């Protein structure tokens, strides 16, 4: 089973990278760009075939390693 | 030899490069702001090390879009020598003035230490004062210096004698493919390298192996 | 309505709250309470330590500005000044090691460049829990990459520091960062906002709800979207700080600034009220003008925000446009947010209303000072027993590879230590040296403390920390100039802890006075306790010295085969609290080594004069691990072995103070011995350099490569795989 | 309109970060984790309301700045 995990900064946490990207896009003449936030996407291949089990396992991975839950939140997406 | 150093927001080896250039050439380089439209007429343009735009998104990505880079590119096409050191090398690959890309160090960590290099090409304005195969020591200081290009590009670079510096065997600090530390463009007037020659022109700082690079330029670009 | 609950949540006692009411002549509103809570916090007011810190000597012929300014300023001749300070970021680094350490670095840099200095060197003094503790590796990895992440981007070399491990830091790591900057002595910028009618400008990053103090509950009722519990972790943006540095230095090259101060802890609150207080002025701020990162921020949020990379400046009237042009060029926020007044009041307006109106003195001199009760513990005494039959060379191997003694290469290679092209001495020696740009002078920097000594005897241990810092500067050839301290302790409300604090300050004071080594800046970090267990007392000493001629600099590395090795000083074989005892015997016992400050001065001055005269270039002080370890470190650094004369365990591993090892050509060494004798200093020839092993008469030998493997292995192998 | 851009490494490009995450997950006892790849996710707010135009604009942003097409590929997701 393939899975995709999104790790993004919690609301209110400063995102220097996103800020700089937004600035650069404006500089390149892209108008109408509002807030930009940057996060991580982690694609994993799992041996697990049971969706519920996979999700539970991924949640644990996020809590333990993939996300820094003090400043980041995560979303899990299973791709069959 | 007249030279210029481009300053991007959060360049941080701009002064180091200027000091080395002045020490070696006797002339103060022009300091050129990234938002300027043109670089003055010079023989050499240096893109210095640092963290242009914080190295956010990708190292060199935002700097490569700077206004002044259009002129740097145009001047390079006309044959002006361009030297990109560290962050400057990253800017050159992001601008596609040099092939390939510099990705995260294999060890995932920033690495600052002196590394052994081999000068593998002396047919260039940048290295003619070195001996072929000469071992030199330059410091590196980067988190994303892992050179990557596809096999075809690598074969071409090697076939055309455009790999100028390689990490000495066993001393590759970042996982660069084929130990590549510095490469030339096709016209051989643009050099990008991760190690810092400008930090080794003064014996007090631990070596003078970088001098020959500047001496080469002085000889080649009268 | 301010309830006792809200007062408590702001960390204020009932008496303190009563005092606030009497100072204001009324009840404070929530914004005012927030302002008082941060200004009267231990961190900002030094209420537990202020009375004792007065004991520190702070003056000297070279001191231009001592404690009280953002950083200390010392004259180094030719119109140059060195500006430096050390600060802790312990708690934030434990919560989020990368960002905590990174913002610690950013904060101390702002303290230094706000005074007009360009930062030229960084150091960090780190204490972690036991290596085997489940959190330790993660914390080490995060802190080190955070320091590098920020400092490297700033383009300031990080040139040294300390790393130690001890179980007392399991729940309270220490991250102390030191920044050294250079300025012209006639271009120093202070924080006194003198005069009325001057514009107050805000520059740097926008204000967000970062790091708003534990008082989140109280502020929640004002939040429009309080559903997501907001993280109080501050995220650093070194890119913005680098721009801020360059923009500030550019503005400082004009004469537009009256006063300037970074927004550190307690952000807008402390910068505005401190500037007004020091200038004997008042200040009015309009929060609607403050650049904001989020919508719906309250006055409370803005006054207490600890968003990073911000500064507050007071300009001469009419100079706003000029300043704005500079900050816009660097793509930074710039806003005139207020004006100075002659009212001596801090007045804060928001949405057309006055949300705070406080006499500035109430936040500064009227802040509480506590004479907290203290007891001075009896120092540990005695010389512990040891097994005299243990093989010396095996013990050496064990010590050189121990967590506290092995090479810190894994750490310092993650820091750019050569950027700025002035680093004359990189990490790995006794002190780092950076050249004063464009001159032949050098600045030496070190940080030191041996908490195990301080635990055994806070007074003597603190003296030792100062003496070691002074020695580490001396051995590179520098004249020690001044000290910055970072006093890390447990809960001062406990008399024993308060006793440690008092004794440590007195120890520092005595040593600094004896060595003419004034304290010009510093920081206290108290309440480093988890579940009632305090850290070892850790009064970190940061210190700076001057080399008149940076080309006459000594290093620890052996340089020539056949040099004679000289021991300066007379060790008594003091094993109490030694690394030997801990690593080999498994004991943390006995008295810590006593410090004879007169001997320190005499021996150190003798050694320094030899370096300055160009007679010697290879020196190392004897410290952690003792004489044999010092010799082994010199051998490893030089890639050259040594043969040493005989001795016993105490003489090889004792941690006696005021001792130095020197390597010099034999004829020179003999002259030095004679010179020492004439000066009443004990100096003895104890060996020769050369070969590829360390050989000790009667104790066997060990190949340098074996020693090197032991020295270099522990750190990387412990840290592998840690993300 | 909100948009999400994924920037991931092309196949065949070494991904030291992904590799390290895979290792670390194994070290934490997560079995059955196959390949792990890490990429970036960039969330943007756009003034543009027309989906086709927004997509065209985002493609240009990716080509110009957000992705380095020598080593990276990108996907664009519009979120109404
Ligand atoms: N956190 C650190 N960052 C950079 N360098 C460090 C750090 N910790 C230790 N070092 C360096 O390692 C060397 C040995 O440190 P230490 O044993 O504390 O020296 P000393 O005993 O002379 O005070 C020094 O050069 C020091 O600067
Ligand atoms: Mg020392």
């Amino acid at each position: 089973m393939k899975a995709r995990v999104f790790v993004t900064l919690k609301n209110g946490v400063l995102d220097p990278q996103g800020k700089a990207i937004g600035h650069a896009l404006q500089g390149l003449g892209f108008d109408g760009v509002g807030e930009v936030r940057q996060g991580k996407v982690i694609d994993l291949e799992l041996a697990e075939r049971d969706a519920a089990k996979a999700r539970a396992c991924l949640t644990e991975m996020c809590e333990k390693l993939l996300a820094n839950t003090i400043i980041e939140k995560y979303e899990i997406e299973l791709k069959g | 030899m007249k030279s210029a150093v481009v300053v991007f927001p959060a360049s941080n080896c701009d002064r180091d490069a200027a000091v080395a250039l002045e020490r070696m050439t006797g002339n103060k380089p022009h300091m050129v702001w990234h938002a300027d439209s043109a670089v003055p007429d010079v023989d050499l343009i240096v893109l210095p090390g640092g963290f242009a735009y914080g190295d956010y998104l990708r190292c060199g990505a935002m700097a490569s879009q700077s206004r002044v880079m259009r002129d740097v590119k145009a001047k390079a096409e006309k044959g002006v020598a361009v030297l990109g050191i560290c962050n400057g090398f990253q800017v050159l690959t992001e601008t596609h003035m040099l092939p390939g890309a510099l990705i995260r160090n294999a060890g995932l960590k920033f690495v600052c230490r002196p590394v052994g290099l081999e000068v593998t090409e002396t047919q260039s304005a940048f290295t003619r004062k070195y001996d072929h195969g000469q071992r030199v020591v330059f410091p590196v200081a980067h988190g994303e210096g892992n050179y990557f290009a596809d096999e075809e590009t690598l074969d071409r670079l090697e076939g055309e004698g455009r790999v100028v510096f390689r990490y000495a065997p066993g001393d590759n600090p970042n996982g660069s493919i084929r130990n590549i530390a510095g490469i030339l463009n096709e016209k051989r007037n643009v050099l990008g390298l991760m190690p810092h020659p400008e930090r080794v022109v003064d014996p007090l700082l631990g070596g003078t192996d970088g001098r020959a690079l500047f001496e080469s330029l002085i000889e080649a670009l009268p | 309505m301010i309830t006792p609950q809200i007062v408590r949540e702001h960390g204020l006692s009932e008496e303190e709250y009563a005092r606030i009411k009497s100072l204001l002549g009324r009840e404070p509103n929530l914004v005012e309470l927030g302002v008082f809570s941060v200004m009267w916090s231990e961190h900002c007011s030094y209420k537990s330590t202020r009375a004792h810190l007065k004991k520190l000597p702070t003056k000297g012929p070279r001191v231009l500005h001592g404690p009280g300014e953002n950083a200390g300023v010392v004259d180094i001749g030719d119109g140059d000044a060195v500006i430096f300070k050390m600060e802790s970021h312990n708690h934030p680094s434990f919560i989020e090691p990368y960002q905590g350490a990174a913002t610690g670095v950013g904060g101390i840099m702002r303290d230094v460049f706000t005074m007009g200095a360009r930062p030229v060197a960084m150091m960090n003094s780190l204490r972690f829990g036991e290596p085997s503790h489940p959190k330790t590796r993660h914390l080490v990895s995060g802190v080190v990459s955070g320091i590098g992440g920020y400092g490297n981007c700033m383009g300031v070399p990080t040139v040294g520091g300390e790393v130690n491990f001890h179980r007392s830091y399991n729940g309270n790591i220490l991250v102390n960062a030191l920044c050294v900057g250079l300025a012209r002595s006639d271009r120093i910028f202070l924080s006194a906002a003198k005069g009325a009618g001057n514009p107050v400008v805000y520059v740097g990053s926008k204000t967000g709800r970062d790091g708003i103090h534990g008082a989140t509950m109280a502020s929640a009722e004002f939040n429009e979207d309080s559903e997501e519990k907001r993280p109080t972790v501050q995220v650093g943006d070194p890119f913005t700080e680098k721009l801020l540095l360059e923009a500030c230095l550019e503005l400082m090259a004009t004469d537009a600034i009256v006063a300037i101060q970074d927004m550190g802890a307690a952000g807008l609150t402390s910068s505005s009220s401190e500037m007004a207080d020091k200038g004997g002025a008042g200040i009015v701020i309009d929060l609607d003008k403050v650049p904001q990162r989020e919508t719906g921020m309250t006055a409370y949020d803005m006054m207490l925000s600890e968003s990073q990379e911000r500064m507050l400046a007071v300009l001469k009237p009419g100079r706003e446009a000029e300043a704005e042009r500079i900050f816009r060029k660097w793509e930074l926020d710039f806003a005139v947010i207020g004006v100075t007044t002659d009212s001596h009041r801090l007045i804060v307006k928001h949405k057309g209303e006055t949300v705070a109106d406080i006499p500035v003195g109430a936040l500064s001199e009227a802040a509480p000072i506590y004479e907290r009760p203290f007891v001075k513990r009896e120092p540990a005494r005695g010389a512990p027993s040891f097994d005299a039959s243990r093989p010396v060379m095996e013990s050496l191997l064990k010590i050189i590879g121990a967590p506290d003694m092995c090479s810190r290469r894994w750490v310092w290679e993650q820091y750019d230590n050569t950027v700025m092209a002035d680093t004359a001495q990189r990490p790995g020696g006794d002190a780092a040296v950076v050249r004063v740009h464009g001159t032949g002078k050098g600045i030496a920097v070190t940080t030191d403390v041996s908490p195990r000594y301080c635990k055994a005897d806070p007074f003597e241990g603190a003296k030792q920390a100062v003496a070691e810092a002074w020695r580490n500067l001396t051995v590179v050839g520098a004249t020690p100039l001044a000290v910055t301290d970072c006093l890390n302790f447990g809960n001062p409300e406990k008399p024993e802890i308060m006793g440690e604090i008092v004794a440590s300050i007195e120890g520092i004071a005595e040593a600094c006075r004896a060595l003419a080594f004034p304290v010009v800046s510093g920081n206290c970090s108290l309440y480093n306790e988890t579940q009632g267990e305090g850290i070892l007392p850790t009064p970190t000493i940061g210190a700076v010295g001057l080399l008149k001629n940076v080309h006459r600099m000594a290093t620890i590395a052996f340089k020539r085969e056949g040099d004679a090795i000289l021991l300066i000083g007379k060790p008594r074989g003091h094993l109490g609290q030694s690394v030997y005892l801990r690593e080999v015997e498994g004991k943390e016992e006995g008295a810590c080594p006593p410090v004879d400050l007169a001997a320190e001065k005499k021996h150190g001055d003798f050694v320094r004069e030899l370096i300055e005269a160009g007679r010697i270039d290879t020196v190392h002080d004897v410290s952690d691990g003792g004489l044999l370890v010092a010799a082994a470190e010199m051998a490893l650094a030089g890639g050259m072995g040594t043969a040493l004369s005989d001795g016993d365990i105490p003489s090889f591993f004792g941690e006696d103070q005021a001792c130095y090892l020197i390597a010099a050509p034999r004829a020179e060494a003999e002259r030095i011995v004679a010179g020492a004798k004439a000066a009443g200093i004990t100096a003895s020839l104890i060996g020769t350099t050369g070969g590829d092993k360390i050989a000790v008469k009667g104790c066997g030998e060990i190949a340098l490569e074996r020693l090197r493997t032991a020295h270099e292995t522990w750190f990387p192998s412990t840290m592998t795989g840690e993300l």
Side-chain angles (χ1 to χ4, degrees), chain B residues 9-13 15-16 19 33-34 51 53-54 56 108-114 139 141 199 202 204-205, chain C residues 152-153 155 237-239 242-243 330 410 413-423 426 435 437 550 723:
Chain B
S11 285
N12 64 30
C13 304
R15 190 188 77 179
D16 304 4
V19 168
W33 184 236
H34 73 109
F51 283 68
Y53 293 92
Y56 296 155
L108 297 179
K109 297 203 177 319
F110 188 95
V111 53
C112 175
R113 64 174 174 88
R199 295 191 195 177
D202 181 343
L204 181 70
L205 311 178
Chain C
N152 298 344
C153 181
D237 180 359
F239 168 54
K242 169 71 174 160
L243 304 185
W330 291 98
W410 183 91
E413 284 190 349
Q414 294 186 54
Y415 304 149
D416 192 338
N417 46 58
T418 51
V419 65
M420 296 187 95
D422 280 313
T423 305
R426 285 195 283 242
R435 173 173 52 193
H437 191 68
V550 71
L723 276 187

Side-chain angles (χ1 to χ4, degrees), chain C residues 595-645:
Chain C
V595 182
D596 174 345
L597 293 164
E600 289 288 355
K601 178 121 179 51
K602 192 164 172 188
H603 298 181
D605 289 347
F606 179 76
V607 169
R608 186 180 324 99
E609 278 161 27
L610 293 172
I611 303 171
E612 283 178 338
R615 291 175 63 188
I616 57 172
D617 58 8
T618 308
V619 193
H620 192 15
D621 69 320
V622 176
S623 63
D624 283 357
L627 183 147
L628 189 54
V629 171
E633 288 169 347
M634 297 173 86
L636 287 170
M640 187 186 293
T642 171
L644 297 170
S645 49

Side-chain angles (χ1 to χ4, degrees), chain C residues 429-431 446 448 468-469 471-473 475 556 620-624 633:
Chain C
D430 282 315
T446 183
D448 293 282
E468 181 165 355
R471 271 198 315 262
N472 279 334
L473 299 175
V475 289
I556 71 169
H620 192 15
D621 69 320
V622 176
S623 63
D624 283 357
E633 288 169 347

Side-chain angles (χ1 to χ4, degrees), chain C residues 120-181:
Chain C
V120 297
M122 297 295 301
M123 282 228 174
N124 51 92
S125 172
L126 313 176
R127 314 281 150 181
F128 298 101
E130 294 162 290
S132 60
H133 188 273
K135 279 197 149 157
T136 299
R137 292 189 332 146
H138 168 70
L139 291 167
V140 173
S141 163
V143 164
V144 170
S145 51
I147 290 170
Y150 209 102
N152 298 344
C153 181
M154 288 298 289
V156 181
T158 300
V159 292
E162 304 174 88
V163 187
N164 281 164
F165 300 89
H166 188 273
R167 63 179 179 281
S168 77
Y169 306 105
N170 281 350
N172 281 281
I173 63 170
L174 302 184
V175 175
N176 296 175
L178 167 71
C179 178
V180 183

